[in-house]
Short mmCIF file of all heavy atoms in Angstrom, two decimals:
data_model
loop_
_atom_site.label_atom_id
_atom_site.label_comp_id
_atom_site.label_asym_id
_atom_site.label_seq_id
_atom_site.Cartn_x
_atom_site.Cartn_y
_atom_site.Cartn_z
N ALA A 39 45.34 -85.90 38.93
CA ALA A 39 44.16 -85.06 39.21
C ALA A 39 43.93 -85.04 40.72
O ALA A 39 44.37 -85.83 41.48
CB ALA A 39 42.90 -85.79 38.59
N SER A 40 43.26 -83.96 41.20
CA SER A 40 42.96 -83.75 42.53
C SER A 40 41.60 -83.20 42.69
O SER A 40 41.01 -82.63 41.79
CB SER A 40 43.97 -82.85 43.25
OG SER A 40 43.84 -81.54 42.70
N ILE A 41 41.10 -83.37 43.90
CA ILE A 41 39.70 -82.84 44.17
C ILE A 41 39.62 -82.48 45.67
O ILE A 41 40.09 -83.17 46.51
CB ILE A 41 38.65 -83.98 43.85
CG1 ILE A 41 37.22 -83.44 44.00
CG2 ILE A 41 38.85 -85.29 44.56
CD1 ILE A 41 36.15 -84.32 43.42
N THR A 42 38.98 -81.36 45.92
CA THR A 42 38.79 -80.87 47.25
C THR A 42 37.54 -81.47 47.94
O THR A 42 36.72 -82.00 47.27
CB THR A 42 38.80 -79.37 47.37
OG1 THR A 42 37.61 -78.84 46.73
CG2 THR A 42 40.00 -78.77 46.64
N ALA A 43 37.39 -81.08 49.21
CA ALA A 43 36.18 -81.58 49.87
C ALA A 43 34.89 -80.82 49.30
O ALA A 43 33.83 -81.41 49.34
CB ALA A 43 36.23 -81.17 51.36
N GLY A 44 35.12 -79.66 48.68
CA GLY A 44 34.07 -78.90 47.95
C GLY A 44 33.94 -79.33 46.54
O GLY A 44 33.23 -78.69 45.80
N HIS A 45 34.65 -80.35 46.12
CA HIS A 45 34.59 -80.88 44.77
C HIS A 45 35.13 -80.10 43.68
O HIS A 45 34.80 -80.16 42.54
CB HIS A 45 33.11 -81.29 44.44
CG HIS A 45 32.56 -82.37 45.26
ND1 HIS A 45 31.82 -82.05 46.46
CD2 HIS A 45 32.61 -83.74 45.38
CE1 HIS A 45 31.45 -83.14 47.01
NE2 HIS A 45 31.99 -84.17 46.40
N SER A 46 36.03 -79.14 44.04
CA SER A 46 36.83 -78.41 43.07
C SER A 46 37.91 -79.33 42.48
O SER A 46 38.60 -80.00 43.27
CB SER A 46 37.44 -77.15 43.69
OG SER A 46 38.23 -76.48 42.72
N THR A 47 38.06 -79.46 41.19
CA THR A 47 38.94 -80.42 40.57
C THR A 47 40.06 -79.73 39.84
O THR A 47 39.94 -78.63 39.38
CB THR A 47 38.19 -81.31 39.69
OG1 THR A 47 37.50 -80.57 38.64
CG2 THR A 47 37.15 -82.16 40.42
N LEU A 48 41.11 -80.51 39.63
CA LEU A 48 42.28 -80.06 38.84
C LEU A 48 42.77 -81.30 38.17
O LEU A 48 42.95 -82.35 38.71
CB LEU A 48 43.36 -79.44 39.78
CG LEU A 48 44.71 -78.97 39.16
CD1 LEU A 48 44.36 -77.76 38.26
CD2 LEU A 48 45.68 -78.67 40.21
N TYR A 49 43.17 -81.13 36.83
CA TYR A 49 43.64 -82.22 36.02
C TYR A 49 44.94 -81.82 35.38
O TYR A 49 45.19 -80.71 34.98
CB TYR A 49 42.63 -82.53 34.93
CG TYR A 49 41.28 -83.10 35.46
CD1 TYR A 49 40.24 -82.32 35.76
CD2 TYR A 49 41.23 -84.55 35.62
CE1 TYR A 49 39.04 -82.85 36.16
CE2 TYR A 49 40.03 -85.00 36.01
CZ TYR A 49 38.92 -84.18 36.37
OH TYR A 49 37.73 -84.69 36.76
N ASN A 50 45.81 -82.82 35.23
CA ASN A 50 46.96 -82.82 34.38
C ASN A 50 46.43 -82.65 33.00
O ASN A 50 45.51 -83.29 32.55
CB ASN A 50 47.79 -84.02 34.60
CG ASN A 50 49.10 -83.98 33.86
OD1 ASN A 50 49.15 -83.82 32.64
ND2 ASN A 50 50.24 -84.19 34.58
N GLY A 51 47.01 -81.80 32.19
CA GLY A 51 46.63 -81.52 30.85
C GLY A 51 46.66 -82.76 29.95
O GLY A 51 45.89 -82.84 28.99
N SER A 52 47.46 -83.73 30.27
CA SER A 52 47.59 -84.93 29.46
C SER A 52 46.47 -85.87 29.59
O SER A 52 46.18 -86.78 28.78
CB SER A 52 48.95 -85.62 29.81
OG SER A 52 48.87 -86.19 31.10
N VAL A 53 45.67 -85.67 30.65
CA VAL A 53 44.49 -86.58 30.93
C VAL A 53 43.17 -85.84 30.89
O VAL A 53 42.12 -86.53 30.93
CB VAL A 53 44.65 -87.26 32.31
CG1 VAL A 53 46.01 -88.00 32.38
CG2 VAL A 53 44.46 -86.41 33.47
N LYS A 54 43.26 -84.58 30.85
CA LYS A 54 41.95 -83.83 30.82
C LYS A 54 41.10 -84.19 29.61
O LYS A 54 41.57 -84.27 28.52
CB LYS A 54 42.29 -82.33 30.76
CG LYS A 54 41.08 -81.42 31.08
CD LYS A 54 41.42 -79.90 31.16
CE LYS A 54 40.23 -79.08 31.48
NZ LYS A 54 40.65 -77.65 31.65
N GLY A 55 39.83 -84.50 29.86
CA GLY A 55 38.92 -84.84 28.92
C GLY A 55 38.85 -86.39 28.74
O GLY A 55 37.90 -86.88 28.16
N ARG A 56 39.73 -87.10 29.35
CA ARG A 56 39.81 -88.51 29.31
C ARG A 56 39.51 -89.17 30.71
O ARG A 56 38.87 -90.23 30.80
CB ARG A 56 41.07 -89.10 28.79
CG ARG A 56 41.40 -88.67 27.31
CD ARG A 56 42.61 -89.42 26.77
NE ARG A 56 43.80 -89.11 27.49
CZ ARG A 56 44.55 -90.00 28.15
NH1 ARG A 56 44.20 -91.21 28.21
NH2 ARG A 56 45.66 -89.54 28.84
N PHE A 57 40.06 -88.52 31.72
CA PHE A 57 39.99 -88.97 33.03
C PHE A 57 39.00 -88.16 33.84
O PHE A 57 38.88 -86.85 33.60
CB PHE A 57 41.28 -88.89 33.88
CG PHE A 57 42.34 -89.96 33.32
CD1 PHE A 57 42.12 -90.70 32.19
CD2 PHE A 57 43.48 -90.11 34.06
CE1 PHE A 57 43.08 -91.56 31.75
CE2 PHE A 57 44.42 -91.06 33.68
CZ PHE A 57 44.22 -91.72 32.44
N THR A 58 38.34 -88.66 34.80
CA THR A 58 37.39 -87.98 35.68
C THR A 58 37.66 -88.41 37.14
O THR A 58 37.63 -89.50 37.47
CB THR A 58 35.92 -88.21 35.35
OG1 THR A 58 35.67 -87.81 34.00
CG2 THR A 58 35.04 -87.35 36.31
N ILE A 59 37.87 -87.35 37.98
CA ILE A 59 38.02 -87.64 39.41
C ILE A 59 36.77 -87.31 40.12
O ILE A 59 36.14 -86.35 39.83
CB ILE A 59 39.28 -86.82 39.98
CG1 ILE A 59 39.55 -87.34 41.35
CG2 ILE A 59 39.02 -85.37 39.92
CD1 ILE A 59 40.93 -86.80 41.96
N ALA A 60 36.40 -88.14 41.12
CA ALA A 60 35.19 -87.94 41.83
C ALA A 60 35.50 -88.25 43.31
O ALA A 60 36.44 -88.97 43.60
CB ALA A 60 34.03 -88.69 41.31
N ARG A 61 34.61 -87.73 44.22
CA ARG A 61 34.87 -88.03 45.62
C ARG A 61 33.45 -88.14 46.33
O ARG A 61 32.55 -87.46 46.07
CB ARG A 61 35.62 -86.76 46.20
CG ARG A 61 35.88 -86.85 47.64
CD ARG A 61 36.84 -85.68 48.04
NE ARG A 61 37.15 -85.61 49.42
CZ ARG A 61 37.98 -84.85 49.99
NH1 ARG A 61 38.70 -84.06 49.30
NH2 ARG A 61 38.21 -84.87 51.31
N ASP A 62 33.42 -89.14 47.22
CA ASP A 62 32.30 -89.40 48.11
C ASP A 62 32.77 -89.10 49.48
O ASP A 62 33.41 -89.94 50.05
CB ASP A 62 31.80 -90.82 47.88
CG ASP A 62 30.51 -91.05 48.57
OD1 ASP A 62 30.30 -90.38 49.64
OD2 ASP A 62 29.75 -91.94 48.27
N ASN A 63 32.43 -87.96 49.97
CA ASN A 63 32.93 -87.54 51.32
C ASN A 63 32.34 -88.41 52.43
O ASN A 63 33.08 -88.68 53.42
CB ASN A 63 32.54 -86.07 51.63
CG ASN A 63 33.31 -85.08 50.74
OD1 ASN A 63 34.41 -85.41 50.28
ND2 ASN A 63 32.75 -83.96 50.53
N ALA A 64 31.11 -88.93 52.23
CA ALA A 64 30.58 -89.76 53.31
C ALA A 64 31.29 -91.07 53.33
O ALA A 64 31.33 -91.64 54.44
CB ALA A 64 29.06 -89.96 52.94
N LYS A 65 31.79 -91.56 52.30
CA LYS A 65 32.48 -92.85 52.26
C LYS A 65 34.00 -92.63 52.34
O LYS A 65 34.73 -93.60 52.36
CB LYS A 65 32.19 -93.60 50.99
CG LYS A 65 30.70 -94.04 50.87
CD LYS A 65 30.48 -94.82 49.68
CE LYS A 65 29.05 -95.26 49.54
NZ LYS A 65 28.75 -96.03 48.30
N ASN A 66 34.50 -91.41 52.44
CA ASN A 66 35.95 -91.06 52.40
C ASN A 66 36.64 -91.78 51.29
O ASN A 66 37.74 -92.34 51.48
CB ASN A 66 36.49 -91.54 53.77
CG ASN A 66 35.80 -90.83 54.91
OD1 ASN A 66 35.26 -91.51 55.87
ND2 ASN A 66 35.85 -89.51 54.96
N THR A 67 36.04 -91.68 50.20
CA THR A 67 36.62 -92.40 48.92
C THR A 67 36.67 -91.44 47.81
O THR A 67 35.83 -90.60 47.59
CB THR A 67 35.69 -93.60 48.58
OG1 THR A 67 35.61 -94.53 49.69
CG2 THR A 67 36.17 -94.30 47.36
N VAL A 68 37.83 -91.53 47.08
CA VAL A 68 38.04 -90.81 45.90
C VAL A 68 38.22 -91.85 44.69
O VAL A 68 38.78 -92.96 44.96
CB VAL A 68 39.25 -89.94 45.89
CG1 VAL A 68 40.57 -90.72 46.15
CG2 VAL A 68 39.44 -89.03 44.75
N TYR A 69 37.67 -91.48 43.62
CA TYR A 69 37.70 -92.35 42.40
C TYR A 69 38.39 -91.67 41.27
O TYR A 69 38.40 -90.43 41.15
CB TYR A 69 36.27 -92.68 41.91
CG TYR A 69 35.38 -93.25 43.04
CD1 TYR A 69 34.56 -92.44 43.84
CD2 TYR A 69 35.35 -94.64 43.25
CE1 TYR A 69 33.72 -92.94 44.74
CE2 TYR A 69 34.53 -95.14 44.28
CZ TYR A 69 33.71 -94.34 44.97
OH TYR A 69 32.94 -94.87 45.94
N LEU A 70 38.97 -92.48 40.41
CA LEU A 70 39.55 -91.95 39.19
C LEU A 70 39.11 -92.80 38.04
O LEU A 70 39.48 -93.99 37.91
CB LEU A 70 41.10 -91.92 39.20
CG LEU A 70 41.78 -91.31 37.97
CD1 LEU A 70 41.50 -89.78 38.00
CD2 LEU A 70 43.27 -91.55 38.02
N GLU A 71 38.24 -92.28 37.21
CA GLU A 71 37.67 -93.00 36.04
C GLU A 71 38.58 -92.57 34.87
O GLU A 71 38.81 -91.51 34.48
CB GLU A 71 36.31 -92.57 35.72
CG GLU A 71 35.25 -92.96 36.78
CD GLU A 71 33.81 -92.60 36.33
OE1 GLU A 71 33.61 -92.26 35.17
OE2 GLU A 71 32.99 -92.78 37.26
N MET A 72 39.23 -93.69 34.29
CA MET A 72 40.15 -93.44 33.24
C MET A 72 39.64 -94.08 31.96
O MET A 72 39.33 -95.29 31.88
CB MET A 72 41.51 -94.15 33.56
CG MET A 72 42.09 -93.67 34.87
SD MET A 72 43.78 -94.32 35.20
CE MET A 72 43.27 -96.06 35.48
N ASN A 73 39.44 -93.28 30.94
CA ASN A 73 38.94 -93.75 29.68
C ASN A 73 39.92 -93.44 28.56
O ASN A 73 40.83 -92.58 28.74
CB ASN A 73 37.63 -92.99 29.37
CG ASN A 73 36.57 -93.22 30.41
OD1 ASN A 73 36.26 -94.37 30.73
ND2 ASN A 73 35.93 -92.22 30.91
N SER A 74 39.73 -94.06 27.43
CA SER A 74 40.69 -93.86 26.31
C SER A 74 42.07 -94.00 26.70
O SER A 74 42.93 -93.09 26.32
CB SER A 74 40.32 -92.47 25.65
OG SER A 74 38.99 -92.42 25.21
N LEU A 75 42.49 -95.06 27.41
CA LEU A 75 43.75 -95.14 27.93
C LEU A 75 44.76 -95.32 26.83
O LEU A 75 44.53 -96.00 25.75
CB LEU A 75 43.83 -96.33 28.89
CG LEU A 75 43.23 -96.04 30.28
CD1 LEU A 75 42.86 -97.35 30.92
CD2 LEU A 75 44.24 -95.29 31.17
N LYS A 76 45.95 -94.69 27.04
CA LYS A 76 47.05 -94.70 26.13
C LYS A 76 48.26 -95.44 26.75
O LYS A 76 48.28 -95.52 28.02
CB LYS A 76 47.44 -93.32 25.71
CG LYS A 76 46.32 -92.46 25.13
CD LYS A 76 46.77 -91.04 24.93
CE LYS A 76 45.69 -90.14 24.31
NZ LYS A 76 46.09 -88.77 24.08
N SER A 77 49.18 -95.82 26.00
CA SER A 77 50.34 -96.47 26.53
C SER A 77 51.08 -95.60 27.53
O SER A 77 51.69 -96.03 28.50
CB SER A 77 51.33 -96.90 25.41
OG SER A 77 51.73 -95.75 24.69
N GLU A 78 51.06 -94.27 27.27
CA GLU A 78 51.75 -93.32 28.17
C GLU A 78 51.09 -93.19 29.52
O GLU A 78 51.67 -92.58 30.40
CB GLU A 78 51.99 -91.93 27.52
CG GLU A 78 50.70 -91.38 26.95
CD GLU A 78 50.54 -91.59 25.45
OE1 GLU A 78 50.81 -92.75 25.04
OE2 GLU A 78 50.22 -90.69 24.70
N ASP A 79 49.91 -93.77 29.64
CA ASP A 79 49.24 -93.76 30.95
C ASP A 79 49.69 -94.82 31.88
O ASP A 79 49.34 -94.83 33.06
CB ASP A 79 47.68 -93.83 30.76
CG ASP A 79 47.11 -92.66 29.99
OD1 ASP A 79 47.51 -91.48 30.37
OD2 ASP A 79 46.23 -92.91 29.22
#
């Protein structure tokens, strides 16, 4: 997954709906929330 400074996001189809990418520009930090994890992850 990727995210721009304007919070436009892009996801790999295999994780879409399960993972969420977020960004805090003030903290210069990006997060990846991963849910419903599978062995292939």
Side-chain angles (χ1 to χ4, degrees):
S40 64
I41 184 168
T42 68
H45 299 95
S46 178
T47 59
L48 179 68
Y49 293 92
N50 186 302
S52 67
V53 307
K54 191 173 184 179
R56 299 188 297 119
F57 292 10
T58 301
I59 190 168
R61 180 171 177 171
D62 187 332
N63 292 335
K65 296 182 178 179
N66 302 123
T67 299
V68 63
Y69 307 92
L70 185 67
E71 295 184 10
M72 304 184 294
N73 300 308
S74 301
L75 283 161
K76 305 175 181 179
S77 60
E78 51 262 45
D79 296 317

